[in-house]
Amino acid sequence: MTTRTEPRPAKLTRKGEQTRMRIVTAAAQLMFDNGVAGTTMEDVKEAAQASSSQLYHYFADKQALVLAVIAYQDETVVGGQEPMLARLDSIEGLRAWCGFLVQHQRDLECRGGCPIGSLGGELAETDPKARVAVSGAFQRWESGIRGGLHAMHERGELAADPEDLALTILAALQGGLLLTQIHRDVRPLEVTLKAMIDHVAAHTAQP
Amino acid sequence: MTTRTEPRPAKLTRKGEQTRMRIVTAAAQLMFDNGVAGTTMEDVKEAAQASSSQLYHYFADKQALVLAVIAYQDETVVGGQEPMLARLDSIEGLRAWCGFLVQHQRDLECRGGCPIGSLGGELAETDPKARVAVSGAFQRWESGIRGGLHAMHERGELAADPEDLALTILAALQGGLLLTQIHRDVRPLEVTLKAMIDHVAAHTAQP
């Protein structure tokens, strides 16, 4: 599961890279708001203020654009959390990360769900390349969560398998986000993440 | 959140009810396999071996059919689990239910995810009626999980809030199903549900 996305066209100019990124960010926002099926290449063209020739220069078809959006969300969502994930080697770090996740859903009024999970749920059965790309993003996320737990385990502070724990926390986060999106209520995410913190705390020597 | 679906057309004949149900089950399977966006009214017509006039007699448009599919999955998935949910008042009952869920994913080769969660994830931002209907199905599911936990709590066997615990278990189940679908591997669901059983067991006087 290493093939995350198609290789980018090589040697983009600085301006070309900017145009490409403008298209990808516009597509990512549209797909977050309306789903992949609810987003046409025409919508993306308008939102990105790009010409058809620009759009199809960078992306042969909608599937290529979808893969670029998954890579972008991987970088934005998982990459953006990495400074916080790097501090998950304590209950306090876990609390700070969970607090951020809950506040972020409050800010969004519980709309949209997880930008990666939503893409995965919509595309898993119809676009095998997209499924593999989302699988890669989830593995990176799980690995980020696992790092701190491994450190706690190594230091003898955590008496539980960090592998299983990291996978459980990511699953609980995804399910909490889905229920929060569906009910338009932050409580499912809040309660589920609190249970995860308690679950980790029950296996640690930390307060 | 009581409005689950549109009222059905009143007084269907037995034959009419059978035709309607044939259309709904065909649509449910197609939407499970290919998503809502990947399913056209034409696909449903063919799969159900129905005429256009039959299809549009029972369902004014695709949205009406989608709401009927959500009600059908609510009845099939949540209703179908109710005998098992009724026995969730012990760790043994919880283990049996989780074992069933994992085996079911094995049987499906991890394809399709949760029939209700998938519909919710795909439709939440674009179809408010569908979102409310899925919210109702999740509330029924949560309530089914909560019943047994409440009974354990009443008997003094469970020293944790059954409300929070039921919500956490449903979230963990949804996230576990999504990761299992994306990775095409039953491990995420298995590990996550095992963690939930351990989490409940840690708050009970039972073995």
Side-chain angles (χ1 to χ4, degrees):
Chain A
M1 284 192 267
T2 51
T3 310
R4 205 173 276 179
T5 55
E6 297 294 289
R8 289 190 185 185
K11 290 185 195 166
L12 288 185
T13 61
R14 187 180 161 78
K15 195 158 179 295
E17 184 55 50
Q18 285 173 343
T19 305
R20 186 185 177 281
M21 193 41 73
R22 203 172 71 233
I23 295 168
V24 173
T25 51
Q29 187 65 49
L30 286 167
M31 289 175 186
F32 182 74
D33 291 338
N34 308 317
V36 175
T39 302
T40 65
M41 289 297 262
E42 194 64 28
D43 296 335
V44 174
K45 208 183 81 176
E46 277 180 36
Q49 297 187 288
S51 67
S52 284
S53 65
Q54 280 177 318
L55 185 57
Y56 289 98
H57 173 70
Y58 296 107
F59 305 100
D61 52 23
K62 187 173 167 183
Q63 198 198 28
L65 181 56
V66 165
L67 289 172
V69 166
I70 295 170
Y72 168 84
Q73 295 290 20
D74 181 351
E75 205 43 51
T76 307
V77 176
V78 187
Q81 283 176 34
E82 274 171 354
M84 260 177 292
L85 296 177
R87 293 197 301 269
L88 286 198
D89 66 337
S90 68
I91 296 296
E92 194 181 89
L94 197 57
R95 277 208 189 96
W97 176 59
C98 291
F100 158 80
L101 294 167
V102 169
Q103 186 56 47
H104 188 58
Q105 289 308 304
R106 276 210 189 89
D107 294 343
L108 291 171
E109 296 178 336
C110 304
R111 283 168 203 282
C114 172
I116 295 171
S118 298
L119 289 166
E122 184 174 350
L123 299 168
E125 304 310 321
T126 52
D127 184 339
K129 281 188 184 175
R131 186 186 63 70
V132 170
V134 170
S135 176
F138 276 146
Q139 284 176 332
R140 177 181 174 185
W141 207 341
E142 190 186 327
S143 163
I145 299 169
R146 195 168 50 224
L149 299 175
H150 253 303
M152 287 171 80
H153 188 70
E154 294 281 303
R155 292 198 305 259
E157 293 166 10
L158 177 68
D161 180 351
E163 308 275 327
D164 285 3
L165 216 44
L167 185 52
T168 300
I169 291 172
L170 182 58
L173 167 58
Q174 286 299 315
L177 284 169
L178 178 65
L179 293 186
T180 277
Q181 177 187 22
I182 297 295
H183 294 318
R184 294 286 193 247
D185 180 352
V186 85
R187 189 175 166 260
L189 183 65
E190 201 163 24
V191 165
T192 304
L193 291 179
K194 186 183 173 303
M196 288 304 107
I197 295 170
D198 292 349
H199 187 66
V200 176
H203 295 89
T204 62
Q206 294 199 336
Chain B
M1 285 193 265
T2 52
T3 311
R4 206 173 279 178
T5 56
E6 298 294 288
R8 288 190 187 184
K11 290 183 196 166
L12 287 186
T13 61
R14 187 180 161 78
K15 194 160 179 294
E17 183 55 49
Q18 284 173 344
T19 305
R20 184 184 178 283
M21 193 41 74
R22 205 172 70 234
I23 295 169
V24 173
T25 53
Q29 187 65 49
L30 287 167
M31 289 174 187
F32 182 74
D33 291 338
N34 308 317
V36 174
T39 302
T40 65
M41 290 296 263
E42 195 63 30
D43 296 335
V44 174
K45 208 184 81 175
E46 277 179 37
Q49 297 187 288
S51 66
S52 283
S53 64
Q54 280 177 318
L55 185 58
Y56 289 98
H57 173 70
Y58 296 107
F59 305 100
D61 53 23
K62 188 173 167 184
Q63 197 197 30
L65 181 56
V66 165
L67 289 173
V69 166
I70 296 170
Y72 169 84
Q73 295 290 22
D74 181 352
E75 205 44 50
T76 307
V77 176
V78 187
Q81 283 176 33
E82 274 171 354
M84 259 178 292
L85 296 177
R87 292 197 301 271
L88 286 198
D89 65 337
S90 69
I91 296 295
E92 194 180 89
L94 197 58
R95 276 208 189 96
W97 176 59
C98 292
F100 158 80
L101 294 167
V102 169
Q103 186 55 48
H104 187 57
Q105 289 308 305
R106 276 210 189 89
D107 295 344
L108 291 172
E109 296 177 336
C110 305
R111 283 166 203 284
C114 171
I116 295 171
S118 298
L119 289 166
E122 185 174 349
L123 299 167
E125 304 311 321
T126 52
D127 184 339
K129 280 187 182 174
R131 185 187 63 72
V132 170
V134 170
S135 177
F138 276 145
Q139 284 176 332
R140 178 181 174 184
W141 208 342
E142 189 186 326
S143 163
I145 298 169
R146 194 167 51 222
L149 298 174
H150 253 303
M152 288 171 81
H153 188 70
E154 293 280 303
R155 293 197 306 259
E157 293 166 12
L158 178 67
D161 180 353
E163 308 275 328
D164 285 2
L165 216 45
L167 185 52
T168 300
I169 290 171
L170 181 58
L173 168 58
Q174 287 299 315
L177 283 169
L178 178 65
L179 293 186
T180 277
Q181 176 186 23
I182 297 295
H183 293 318
R184 292 287 193 247
D185 180 351
V186 85
R187 188 175 168 258
L189 183 64
E190 201 163 24
V191 164
T192 303
L193 291 179
K194 188 182 171 302
M196 288 304 107
I197 296 169
D198 291 348
H199 187 66
V200 177
H203 295 89
T204 63
Q206 293 199 336

